[in-house]
Amino acid sequence: RLGAIYTNLHEIELAQKYMKQAFAHSESLSEPERLFIKSNYHYVVTGRLDDVVATYRLWTATYPDDWVPHNNLSTAYQRLGQLDEAMREARIAIRLGPDFVVPYQQLTRALLALNRPAEANDAIKEAAAHQLESSSLHALAFDLAFIAGDTQAMQDNLKAASSRADGYLVLTEAARASLASGQVEACRALYTQAIMAA
């Protein structure tokens, strides 16, 4: 779990350290724990995505009601550029775990990569209908608003995430949007604000 946390924090050296330790001791654990460790080990340490996909496929076949391997398989497929498969697995993850925010985030990312902004917005609305919210969803909603040229929605997502501990995620998207719009000074100010908030 520490390895997964450090992966999410983009501290790859620490993530790899803990993944290697877990992998070395995984034979004494339950099968779901071994599958979790093996898939993360290959994703973070070896980078062998074929092993990642094979492990998630085994996990989904062995534990068909678990949303986590479908969500993570979606992430692996997206990294491989297999976007239709990424979308399909994210939809399965939502069906199995409709009250968890992570599958909605993954589906939104896959739909954005497929250039399907209307469906991506629908995924965010579906999460909201389940009373699910995260800074990652606000960052994705900000990106969709930027693509649509909806400055009010951009500001609404910035404001909604401003009080969250990880609200810097939306500030980072705002900085990127400023840079893409040629507003270099605004970009610098937003990145500085994001760094201070992180």
Side-chain angles (χ1 to χ4, degrees):
R1 296 287 176 194
L2 276 173
I5 290 167
Y6 281 118
T7 299
N8 291 337
L9 292 172
H10 303 288
E11 295 193 30
I12 302 304
E13 285 184 28
L14 281 171
Q16 289 177 337
K17 172 188 169 184
Y18 288 110
M19 294 289 184
K20 287 175 184 176
Q21 287 177 5
F23 190 73
H25 300 287
S26 63
E27 286 309 311
S28 63
L29 301 174
S30 70
E31 186 174 23
E33 291 170 317
R34 282 196 309 273
L35 291 167
F36 176 82
I37 290 168
K38 183 177 180 182
S39 58
N40 280 281
Y41 174 80
H42 286 302
Y43 196 87
V44 175
V45 177
T46 70
R48 294 193 331 235
L49 293 180
D50 55 334
D51 287 335
V52 173
V53 168
T55 303
Y56 285 134
R57 283 185 178 156
L58 174 61
W59 190 349
T60 61
T62 308
Y63 302 97
D65 294 331
D66 191 348
W67 68 268
V68 173
H70 288 283
N71 187 77
N72 294 355
L73 183 54
S74 174
T75 302
Y77 278 139
Q78 188 165 345
R79 190 168 169 189
L80 287 165
Q82 298 176 18
L83 300 178
D84 288 325
E85 291 85 352
M87 178 186 63
R88 182 177 55 79
E89 291 296 330
R91 288 192 191 282
I92 294 170
I94 287 173
R95 182 175 49 79
L96 295 172
D99 296 324
F100 294 93
V101 73
V102 175
Y104 295 95
Q105 293 169 180
Q106 179 53 32
L107 177 59
T108 304
R109 287 186 193 100
L111 290 166
L112 269 169
L114 283 163
N115 195 25
R116 293 161 81 162
E119 291 176 68
N121 272 314
D122 288 344
I124 292 171
K125 288 175 186 170
E126 186 180 346
H130 286 268
Q131 299 181 354
L132 300 172
E133 180 185 14
S134 71
S135 291
S136 291
L137 272 181
H138 283 296
L140 291 163
F142 182 96
D143 292 342
L144 286 161
F146 175 71
I147 291 166
D150 186 343
T151 55
Q152 184 60 53
M154 291 163 63
Q155 290 305 312
D156 290 346
N157 282 288
L158 266 173
K159 184 178 179 182
S162 65
S163 63
R164 299 178 65 88
D166 58 353
Y168 64 88
L169 296 171
V170 185
L171 284 169
T172 302
E173 293 309 300
R176 291 178 180 152
S178 294
L179 185 60
S181 301
Q183 301 169 355
V184 177
E185 289 306 315
C187 173
R188 283 188 188 130
L190 286 162
Y191 265 130
T192 300
Q193 195 177 349
I195 290 167
M196 301 283 282

